[in-house]
Amino acid sequence: MQEIVLLFAGLAEEAKQNLTVDFQQVWQDRGSETEDTQAYIEACINLFTMQKIRTTHKYHDYVRNSCYADKKNSAVINYDGKVYKMENIKSLIPIF
């Protein structure tokens, strides 16, 4: 996660004000939370906060039946660091 945060380090404060990093648990992983997982998420949030980048990690009801990467001005950074954006209703394409 530190490598990802460093990608944003050089951005101007004005640009950082337009960003929100949203941590979401995938539905396949529900019920597997541990104290270690929660501590890691909090550490990740702190890394972004120190760079003055807004974060959220609450469940958002408006995405219940859609893909996060389908939202306007949104992309998904997967667990492996790959970045994805919805191209159309059926295909999630890598953009980095």
Side-chain angles (χ1 to χ4, degrees), residues 16-22 48-49 52-56:
K16 289 180 181 181
Q17 291 175 3
N18 295 318
L19 297 174
T20 300
V21 176
D22 186 13
F48 283 97
T49 301
K52 298 184 173 143
I53 297 173
R54 181 180 32 236
T55 63
T56 183

Side-chain angles (χ1 to χ4, degrees), residues 11-60:
L11 290 178
E13 295 298 318
E14 300 161 351
K16 289 180 181 181
Q17 291 175 3
N18 295 318
L19 297 174
T20 300
V21 176
D22 186 13
F23 292 89
Q24 293 295 318
Q25 184 177 28
V26 296
W27 65 268
Q28 297 95 330
D29 199 31
R30 297 258 187 245
S32 65
E33 301 90 6
T34 66
E35 288 182 24
D36 289 342
T37 303
Q38 188 59 35
Y40 179 73
I41 292 168
E42 290 173 13
C44 292
I45 289 170
N46 288 334
L47 288 172
F48 283 97
T49 301
M50 289 180 349
Q51 286 294 326
K52 298 184 173 143
I53 297 173
R54 181 180 32 236
T55 63
T56 183
H57 64 284
K58 304 294 182 201
Y59 177 75
H60 301 291

Side-chain angles (χ1 to χ4, degrees), residues 1 3-4 40 76-84 94 96:
M1 190 59 66
E3 293 172 3
I4 293 171
Y40 179 73
V76 170
I77 301 175
N78 215 5
Y79 71 93
D80 57 4
K82 292 181 181 176
V83 181
Y84 293 90
F96 281 106

